[in-house]
Structures are given as C-alpha cells and as structure tokens.
Amino acid sequence: MSAHTSNTMTITLHVWRQAGPNAPGKLEQYEAKNVSPDQSFLEMLDEVNEDLIKAGKDPIAFDHDCREGICGMCSSVINGVPHGGQVRTTACQLHMRTFKDGDAIYIEPWRAKAFPIIKDLIVDRNALERITQAGGYTSCHTGGVPDGNAILVPKPDADYAMDAAECIGCGACVAACPNGSAMLYTSAKVAQLAVLPQGKAEAAERVCAMVDAMQENGFGNCSNHYECQAACPKGISVKFIAKLNREYQKALFK
Amino acid sequence: MRIFNSTVGRKLLMSISGQLLIIFVLIHLAGNSTIYFGWINAYAEHLHSMPPVVWVFRAIMLAIVGTHICYGVLLTLENKAANPTNYAVKRQLKASFASENMIWTGLLLAAFIVYHLLQFTAKMTPDVAWTSNQAVVDVFKMVVTSFSNAGIVVVYALAMVMLFLHLSHGIPSFLQTMGWNNDKTIPVYGTAGKVISAFLMLAYISIPATILVGLLKL
Ligand code: HEM
Ligand code: SF4
Ligand code: FES
C-alpha cells in the first residue's frame, strides 16, 4: 500500500447526472482523490460513490456486472469515446494507470434515441435485445443430442462465426455512431448465423426481420463512417456489415 | 417494396445512383478532355445530332440525381433524429470531415450542377449571353471565353473540391454498401477513394485552369 500511496492521483470528474428518464440532466463535477493507478475505472467510481454515500448524497448510477470484459453491461462514454478509447477494452477493464494525476475525465451515458436514459449513466438497451428477438436465432426441434460432427462446418467458417460471436451486446457501436445506428451489432448476429449450415435455412427471413427491427426501434442508417469498429471493445469488424448487405441483397430477390 | 422502405434498401439505392453518377462523371471528363485535342466542337455537334437520344439521356440523369438527392436528404434527416443529443466531449476515431458532411458537399454539388446547366446548356448566364445571336454556337469559343474570367474559374475549382470530398468518402462507401468488402479491402478502398477523387478533381480543374493561365486560347 505504502508503495502506491506515493503515486496516487487526484482526478477531476465531470459526470452526467440525471435523476430519471424525463428529468433534466447536467454534468456535475467531483474530485476523485487517492486514485491508485492499479484501480480499474469502475473501482475508482466505486470509491467516489462511497464518499458520496458518506456525505448523504445520491451515488452515481452506472451499469456493470462481470467486470472482466465479457458481459457487456458496463457502458460509459469516457472523454468522448465509448469505453474510453483503449483498443479492445471495456470500461470495466480500463485501468487508472492510463490517466495522469490532475487529469479531467468526462463521463457520459451512451447517447442515442434508441437508448433512453434510465438514470445517470444507465441507459435502456433493450432495443438491442428486440433486434435479436426478431431473428437472431435458429429454429430447431430439440430432442436427442446430435452426434458431434454430424453437420460439418469448415474451419474458416467456424472461425468467421466465432469472430462475429465475440460481440457482447454492449452497444458501444451505437453510442459511437454519429447516426445512432446499430448496424455493427445487427450485422455481427446476422453474419454469425448466415455463415453456419444451421443458420443458412432462415438467412433471408432473419436479415429482413432484424433490419426491420433495427429501424422500428429508432436506430439510424449506416453511413459507413466506421466509428463503430474503432470503438468496439471486441474489435468486431465492419466486414460483417458488408456481409449483412450481401445477405440483404440475396433476400431482396427471394 | 422492401428496397424503397428499409434502411439497407435505401442505402442500396443511394449506392447504385451514386455509382451511376460516378460513371457519368468519368464519361463527362473524357468528353471534356477533347478540348485539349481541338475536338470539342465535333464532340458537341456529334452529341446534338441525335436530339431524342439526348433527351432520353437527360431524363435518365434527372431520375438518377433525383433518387440520389431524395434519399440522401431522407437518410440524413433520419440519422439526425436517431442521434438527437450531442456529447459534451466527443473524440472522433474514424469518421472524417468528408464522411460527416456528405449532405453539404452533395447539396453544394447540386447547386453547382444547376449553375453549370444554366451556363453551358441553357446559356442563360451573362458570360454566355453573346451566344444568343449565333446560328451555331462555337462551344470551344464559349468555354474559353467564360473560363478567361477568374471568378468563374474559382467557382468551378471550389465545386471540384466538393466533388473530391464527396467521393473520397463516397467511393469506399458505395463499395461497402454493395457488400464488396472484407478486412483486406477496407484500407485499400479508403486510399483508392482519396486517390481517385483527387485525380478527378485535378483533371476537371485542369481545363479552366489551363484556359485561365492562357495555355489554351482562341
Ligand atoms: C446532387 C447532389 C448530391 C447530394 C445531395 C448527395 C448526397 C449524398 C449523401 C447525403 C450521401 C450519403 C448517404 C449516406 O451514407 O447516408 C451520398 C453518398 C454518395 N454520393 Fe452523393 N450526393 C450528391 C451528388 C453526388 C454526385 C454528383 C456523385 C457522383 C459523382 C455522388 C456520389 C455518391 C456516392 C458514390 C455515395 C456513396 C453511396 C453509399 O454510401 O453507398 N453524389 N450522397
Ligand atoms: S459490435 Fe462491439 S460495440 Fe457493438 S454491441 Fe457488439 S461488442 Fe459492443
Ligand atoms: S462489466 Fe461486464 S463487460 Fe464490463
């Protein structure tokens, strides 16, 4: 501990505070003192919250769960970039050593029409679930466990599907997109299933249903800015958006 | 119809109309370049010897430009509506000035196209008023006379900067919208978009510039 106290930092936070969905919100300033470089970003927020609670104030509400970069719950725009802008890193995996003593950090919620604010930094991301409910599945009869390798999947296709399946559904792509579009998320689900034999049967219905659901849930259109891929903590590639576009064209002629 | 209503369908219409406009831009450049070989009058005469073809072609071009503008405006309005609140701090990682201003570079191009048609097609602007009493308009003389005016050349040059910005995002973008893209081609298209649109800009500007500096004269 003593080794660390010498290089602890003081950081000024500007945090979006909003009491409820329709309440007006604004940026509030807080001082985070004795921040250790080894702390994660969320641990730093935990300590700020403890001080707020001790002072009888409302702690900052933020989403989190696994804190190991796999669940997709954490969600803050940190200094203008969803998850803070460290390549392939979720906010929970971001460490305070990437900041310097005296830094100012702006923390804001995901912003998009499809993601209404619930409180402070917490937004409602069910719109993403509704896109997946519209077609991000394969219909199959359950029964006995099929033999392994009964359906052959070429290795490159399996790898491609796994790359798409890395999406953790955090919504950073939507938060980063100047158009509030969910094309990266949607395309990852469409591509993952379209390339596998089990998913091919429903490929055309799926892409149409998921694209419609994206539109109905208030997401914007894709302008190919590629801001999503740059912000995605899983490095999901926009090549999947190209794949969605190809799948969509095939579906148009069905 | 799915293609006219869905978000991906409309982007396809943007992409296809954009590609047709790029083809037109290439053919138009080839036609204009005949001025360097002294063939521009022959080229213009050849075009206008077939009025029905010319009018069918104009109708098709109007439909293409109309589609491109309508969906461009519609998509832009929908995109603004889907992202109504700004961040207090925003650090852009990948989006560029060109990609964020497609609607403005596009609308300025539309304004330029109207001016360009009023000038050299309808011959209604002051610099070409002298052609009204000519039985056959000498296209070479008209172009050289108008481009001897520095103000007009500046307008053309600025319009071509808009074309450069629009296409430096438009070229990689239409390829992605068509789905003709993968991890290897993404960076290649980005560079190709800039190189091709810079070439088009410089090639188009070369004609008024050559005339203005007096290398090409009556
Ligand atoms: C006449 C006025 C024009 C307007 C208002 C306009 C507007 C737009 C807009 C708003 C977009 C972006 C759409 C989006 O990504 O959501 C776009 C894309 C594009 N434009 Fe234009 N534009 C115009 C003229 C042109 C011209 C003259 C060309 C070709 C020489 C062109 C070629 C393209 C291409 C290739 C794209 C990319 C399509 C895609 O993303 O798939 N545009 N235009
Ligand atoms: S594509 Fe990336 S940024 Fe978008 S939801 Fe999935 S993991 Fe998050
Ligand atoms: S809290 Fe689970 S990914 Fe960050």
Side-chain angles (χ1 to χ4, degrees):
Chain A
M1 214 31 221
S2 59
H4 285 155
T5 39
S6 58
N7 53 20
T8 59
M9 307 177 280
T10 301
I11 305 237
T12 308
L13 304 180
H14 301 268
V15 186
W16 186 261
R17 301 304 307 265
Q18 180 170 337
N22 300 313
K26 69 173 196 307
L27 285 169
E28 297 268 9
Q29 192 174 325
Y30 302 96
E31 205 87 314
K33 295 199 186 73
N34 300 320
V35 176
S36 155
D38 299 333
Q39 273 182 324
S40 76
F41 190 80
L42 299 189
E43 282 166 341
M44 180 276 296
L45 281 183
D46 289 338
E47 292 206 350
V48 171
N49 273 347
E50 276 173 31
D51 289 345
L52 285 173
I53 293 166
K54 275 185 212 143
K57 292 188 186 141
D58 196 19
I60 301 161
F62 61 90
D63 258 331
H64 60 103
D65 190 9
C66 72
R67 298 207 175 194
E68 53 185 14
I70 55 171
C71 75
M73 274 309 277
C74 56
S75 48
S76 326
V77 174
I78 301 163
N79 284 341
V81 183
H83 293 298
Q86 184 171 315
V87 174
R88 293 194 182 213
T89 308
T90 52
C92 60
Q93 291 284 291
L94 187 66
H95 282 81
M96 294 312 292
R97 67 181 73 98
T98 59
F99 298 95
K100 294 192 308 292
D101 188 34
D103 272 0
I105 306 181
Y106 285 80
I107 313 174
E108 298 176 71
W110 280 182
R111 290 201 187 279
K113 182 171 152 246
F115 290 165
I117 293 180
I118 297 172
K119 188 174 186 212
D120 299 340
L121 303 174
I122 300 183
V123 300
D124 178 354
R125 284 173 281 177
N126 280 308
L128 291 182
E129 304 303 326
R130 290 192 288 272
I131 295 177
T132 291
Q133 279 163 10
Y137 51 78
T138 58
S139 312
C140 58
H141 297 290
T142 52
V145 179
D147 285 342
N149 295 335
I151 302 173
L152 295 178
V153 180
K155 177 73 169 123
D157 292 353
D159 288 347
Y160 182 92
M162 286 302 280
D163 286 348
E166 266 203 80
C167 168
I168 53 176
C170 64
C173 43
V174 179
C177 178
N179 307 342
S181 174
M183 274 289 265
L184 192 62
Y185 169 88
T186 309
S187 71
K189 312 294 165 203
V190 165
Q192 177 198 333
L193 294 173
V195 76
L196 295 174
Q198 294 92 332
K200 281 209 170 99
E202 291 163 301
E205 295 93 318
R206 175 182 308 112
V207 68
C208 293
M210 291 182 79
V211 164
D212 287 348
M214 182 176 92
Q215 212 168 348
E216 282 154 18
N217 280 284
F219 294 100
N221 312 292
C222 180
S223 290
N224 305 324
H225 293 291
Y226 301 166
E227 202 60 24
C228 49
Q229 174 180 335
C232 174
K234 296 293 150 184
I236 301 291
S237 164
V238 293
K239 76 173 175 198
F240 296 120
I241 298 183
K243 171 77 173 165
L244 180 150
N245 289 335
R246 293 197 294 276
E247 290 295 319
Y248 196 83
Q249 287 164 37
K250 278 195 265 171
L252 274 180
F253 296 104
K254 277 210 167 153
Chain B
M1 279 283 278
R2 205 164 257 296
I3 192 162
F4 296 107
N5 299 323
S6 91
T7 157
V8 178
R10 288 168 180 175
K11 267 310 295 258
L12 265 174
L13 293 173
M14 271 319 272
S15 173
I16 294 166
S17 56
Q19 288 170 66
L20 294 171
L21 289 172
I22 292 176
I23 293 174
F24 172 77
V25 163
L26 289 169
I27 296 174
H28 192 44
L29 178 63
N32 292 357
S33 302
T34 59
I35 198 166
Y36 289 122
F37 310 106
W39 304 337
I40 197 153
N41 280 342
Y43 165 66
E45 218 170 288
H46 184 67
L47 278 185
H48 291 275
S49 62
M50 326 168 263
V53 179
V54 170
W55 280 103
V56 168
F57 181 76
R58 284 176 179 165
I60 295 173
M61 284 311 293
L62 189 66
I64 295 172
V65 173
T67 307
H68 195 76
I69 296 182
C70 285
Y71 285 107
V73 170
L74 187 66
L75 289 171
T76 306
L77 291 175
E78 287 175 354
N79 293 343
K80 291 271 175 290
N83 188 17
T85 25
N86 288 330
Y87 291 105
V89 176
K90 178 85 179 114
R91 183 158 68 87
Q92 216 65 267
L93 300 172
K94 201 81 180 111
S96 61
F97 180 82
S99 75
E100 291 203 300
N101 291 288
M102 290 300 276
I103 189 65
W104 303 116
T105 51
L107 288 176
L108 285 170
L109 277 174
F112 168 74
I113 293 167
V114 170
Y115 167 69
H116 182 56
L117 290 176
L118 284 177
Q119 184 181 31
F120 289 146
T121 306
K123 305 182 181 63
M124 284 160 69
T125 53
D127 56 308
V128 292
W130 61 271
T131 57
S132 61
N133 57 12
Q134 312 270 307
V136 179
V137 176
D138 180 341
V139 174
F140 180 72
K141 187 175 165 198
M142 175 174 74
V143 170
V144 171
T145 313
S146 292
F147 287 152
S148 303
N149 178 328
I152 293 175
V153 174
V154 168
V155 169
Y156 272 73
L158 288 177
M160 292 307 105
V161 173
M162 295 307 128
L163 184 71
F164 165 74
L165 288 170
H166 201 77
L167 291 189
S168 61
H169 178 68
I171 290 171
S173 184
F174 89 70
L175 291 160
Q176 168 78 351
T177 304
M178 295 309 290
W180 302 331
N181 216 350
N182 61 43
D183 274 339
K184 286 210 186 72
T185 53
I186 290 166
V188 178
Y189 289 169
T191 313
K194 291 193 189 84
V195 172
I196 295 169
S197 33
F199 166 77
L200 287 173
M201 169 178 72
L202 295 174
Y204 268 107
I205 293 180
S206 76
I207 297 170
T210 317
I211 293 170
L212 187 65
V213 299
L215 285 174
L216 204 62
K217 44 182 177 269
L218 288 177

